[in-house]
């Protein structure tokens, strides 16, 4: 099978990493992949994975996610999507004479553009839903998105049951977890008593990841005299300058988060408590240094680092209001707090920092849970089964 993948982001992140790991397994089943994606660091990662990369200046999206949906000044973001539309259409048109068996859309925000791509290429479409959507029935846009999925998607795949719950209950949705490639990981340091416990944060440095709340939580823990150190691994989502940076900054759409964090660390005298590592190319070198993983996202969901850390016997503190069993199990694989509140975050971290036995127990249970849910082989097999069901019988 030859699959056309559409991926929305130029930066290398969790969604692209998950797709690469999935493709590595599918490739062994005879799948070849062409990926249409914005120019950026992700292009090299896809190329290194053996995918045929078709870079484009940008792909137009329509964001109806729980956090990013258009409202008030955020409607201005649609201007960017309209500006990118001509580049998107040209990229799709150039593919019209190539033969593909299936279109795999790597995030629901690409759905309008993907529907057009499906029509041009006349192939089945899988929509991979990775982000939490607005509550079903919440407004015309949400109903429209679910209507488009029902009418145009030949298969809808959600990355977990938390995401699935934000889609229309009438939709046929298959849950396929992000499988992780982690070869015999050593246990993290979380199970060992030490004078200084290390908390880790991994992710792009943007406000919605809860990074500001984490810094404030570290300030609170310092005031309480809790012996803990925080390692923050990640880079700014975008580097902007000039007029564009000024305009977006005034509208609240662009922040130099790294500079903000550096300022806050100095302001609160946290130099001995927080370290900014920047981008870490191989996170396998980082996890063995951690005792606890912190994921205080505003997205009300557990992210990829939570599952990766679990393979290293590292429990997590996650901001999620109603955790389901494939996100985090409260007081079994980690601790869930209902929102990314600095005090709640500090309380949860302090509990794990000061109770070595409890932290070690959660780490062991997290590892077993991860092995049961996120092994790459089993989840790649499920996705391959979706592909096979959609492949025309004459091609099987």
């Amino acid at each position: 099978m030859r699959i056309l993948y559409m991926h929305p982001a130029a930066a290398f992140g969790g969604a692209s990493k998950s797709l690469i790991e999935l493709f590595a397994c599918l490739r062994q089943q005879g799948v070849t992949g062409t990926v249409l994606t914005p120019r950026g660091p992700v292009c090299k990662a896809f190329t290194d994975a053996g995918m045929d990369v078709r870079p484009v200046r940008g792909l137009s999206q329509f964001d109806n996610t729980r956090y990013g949906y258009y409202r008030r000044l955020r409607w201005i973001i649609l201007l960017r999507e309209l500006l990118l539309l001509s580049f998107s259409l040209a990229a799709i048109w150039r593919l019209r004479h190539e033969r593909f068996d299936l279109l795999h859309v790597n995030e629901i925000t690409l759905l309008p553009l993907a529907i057009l791509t499906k029509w041009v290429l006349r192939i089945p479409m899988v929509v991979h839903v990775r982000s939490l959507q607005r509550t079903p029935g919440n407004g015309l846009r949400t109903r429209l998105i679910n209507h488009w999925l029902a009418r145009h998607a030949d298969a809808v795949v959600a990355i977990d049951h938390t995401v699935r719950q934000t889609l229309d209950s009438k939709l046929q949705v298959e849950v396929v977890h992000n499988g992780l490639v982690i070869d015999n990981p050593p246990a993290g340091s979380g199970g060992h008593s030490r004078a200084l416990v290390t908390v880790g944060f991994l992710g792009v440095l943007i406000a919605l990841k809860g990074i500001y709340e984490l810094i404030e939580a570290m300030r609170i823990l310092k005031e309480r005299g809790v012996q803990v150190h925080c390692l923050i691994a990640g880079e700014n989502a975008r580097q902007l300058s000039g007029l564009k940076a000024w305009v977006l900054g005034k509208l609240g759409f662009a922040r130099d988060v790294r500079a903000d964090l550096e300022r806050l660390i100095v302001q609160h005298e946290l130099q001995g408590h927080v370290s900014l590592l920047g981008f870490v190319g191989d996170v396998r070198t980082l996890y063995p240094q951690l005792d606890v993983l912190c994921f205080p996202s505003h997205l009300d969901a557990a992210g990829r680092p939570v599952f990766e850390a679990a393979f290293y016997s590292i429990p997590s503190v996650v901001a999620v209001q109603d955790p389901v069993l494939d996100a985090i199990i409260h007081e079994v694989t980690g601790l869930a707090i209902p929102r990314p509140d600095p005090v709640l975050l500090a309380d949860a971290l302090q509990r794990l920092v000061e109770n070595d036995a409890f932290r070690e127990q959660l780490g062991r249970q997290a590892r077993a849970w991860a092995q049961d849910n996120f092994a790459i082989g089993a989840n790649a097999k499920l996705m391959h089964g979706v592909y096979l069901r959609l492949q025309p019988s004459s091609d099987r």
Side-chain angles (χ1 to χ4, degrees):
M1 279 186 285
R2 186 182 181 194
I3 311 298
L4 174 63
Y5 294 95
M6 294 181 69
H7 180 75
F12 182 74
S16 52
K17 188 173 184 179
S18 294
L19 179 58
I20 286 170
E21 292 177 338
L22 172 66
F23 178 74
C25 283
L26 294 175
R27 194 177 183 186
Q28 298 175 10
Q29 303 297 320
V31 172
T32 61
T34 297
V35 59
L36 186 64
T37 187
R39 291 190 183 94
V42 76
C43 292
K44 183 179 185 302
F46 284 138
T47 299
D48 292 344
M51 305 178 83
D52 175 20
V53 178
R54 307 295 176 87
V56 61
R57 182 168 180 176
L59 293 175
S60 295
Q61 302 181 60
F62 186 82
D63 192 337
N64 196 49
T65 61
R66 183 175 294 177
Y67 179 85
Y69 72 94
Y70 305 118
R71 59 201 183 273
R72 298 185 294 277
L73 288 176
R74 290 192 66 84
W75 280 104
I76 296 175
I77 298 175
L78 272 179
L79 294 176
R80 178 190 65 190
E81 309 308 334
L82 292 174
L83 290 173
L84 292 175
L85 186 58
S86 61
F87 301 102
S88 303
L89 295 177
I92 294 168
W93 189 248
R94 286 193 294 268
L95 295 170
R96 70 189 186 281
H97 295 308
E98 299 189 47
R99 178 189 173 276
F100 298 99
D101 298 296
L102 188 70
L103 171 63
H104 182 139
V105 186
N106 204 37
E107 182 53 282
I108 193 174
T109 55
L110 288 172
L111 182 58
L113 194 63
I115 292 172
L116 178 60
T117 306
K118 175 185 176 179
W119 179 78
V120 170
L121 301 180
R122 301 188 183 282
I123 53 177
M125 177 174 69
V126 176
V127 178
H128 207 153
V129 187
R130 296 183 174 277
S131 54
L132 296 173
Q133 303 302 293
R134 297 175 71 193
T135 305
N138 186 357
L140 176 61
R141 281 171 282 161
T142 302
R143 292 194 295 271
L144 185 59
I145 291 290
N146 282 287
H147 172 72
W148 284 343
L149 283 174
R151 181 173 181 180
H152 299 286
D154 298 280
V156 180
V157 174
I159 62 169
D160 56 37
H161 286 90
T162 305
V163 170
R164 199 276 169 256
Q165 289 174 355
T166 65
L167 298 170
D168 193 322
S169 60
K170 297 177 183 177
L171 281 172
Q172 290 292 113
V173 180
E174 185 155 356
V175 174
V176 179
H177 295 121
N178 287 328
L180 307 181
V181 179
I182 301 179
D183 298 325
N184 300 317
S189 58
H192 304 287
S193 300
R194 300 189 306 174
L196 191 64
V197 172
T198 302
V199 172
F201 171 94
L202 288 82
V204 179
L205 300 183
I206 51 179
L208 68 87
K209 296 286 188 178
I211 188 65
Y212 291 98
E213 289 81 359
L214 176 57
I215 294 295
E216 176 61 13
M218 291 301 298
R219 184 195 66 79
I220 294 170
L221 291 173
K222 177 194 170 188
E223 285 191 349
R224 294 177 180 176
V226 178
Q227 296 298 306
V228 60
H229 190 83
C230 183
L231 300 179
I232 297 177
E235 58 184 350
N236 279 347
R238 61 180 72 185
Q239 296 290 340
L240 299 175
S241 60
L243 179 62
K244 184 177 181 181
W246 183 84
V247 172
L248 291 177
K250 287 295 183 182
L251 294 174
F253 297 145
R255 300 173 70 172
D256 189 342
V257 177
R258 170 86 187 207
D260 284 350
L261 299 184
E262 291 173 345
R263 176 181 55 80
L264 290 170
I265 289 170
V266 172
Q267 177 182 336
H268 299 305
E269 299 181 350
L270 295 173
Q271 296 92 331
H273 301 265
V274 179
S275 299
L276 300 178
L277 305 181
F279 175 73
V280 176
D282 187 353
V283 295
R284 292 174 297 182
T285 64
L286 179 61
Y287 283 116
Q289 303 176 47
L290 304 182
D291 298 294
V292 180
L293 189 282
C294 190
F295 198 82
S297 170
H298 291 249
L299 298 178
D300 193 29
R304 179 187 175 94
V306 174
F307 313 129
E308 288 181 333
F311 275 100
Y312 288 84
S313 304
I314 300 170
S316 296
V317 173
V318 180
V320 56
Q321 188 167 11
D322 296 307
V324 294
L325 295 182
D326 59 356
I328 184 172
I329 307 176
H330 182 57
E331 296 195 337
V332 175
T333 66
L335 298 178
I337 58 176
R339 59 189 180 279
D341 176 89
V343 175
L344 295 178
L345 192 57
D347 290 344
L349 290 174
Q350 183 173 357
R351 184 180 176 191
L352 293 181
V353 168
E354 296 181 343
N355 192 331
D356 295 333
F358 182 51
R359 188 175 69 245
E360 180 179 358
Q361 176 186 348
L362 295 188
R364 288 196 306 269
Q365 293 166 171
R367 181 164 180 154
W369 167 79
Q371 290 169 338
D372 288 342
N373 287 277
F374 303 103
I376 183 63
N379 287 289
K381 184 177 180 180
L382 290 174
M383 186 65 77
H384 191 242
V386 173
Y387 287 2
L388 290 175
R389 289 199 301 272
L390 300 183
Q391 187 180 20
S393 56
S394 59
D395 294 338
R396 293 179 185 173

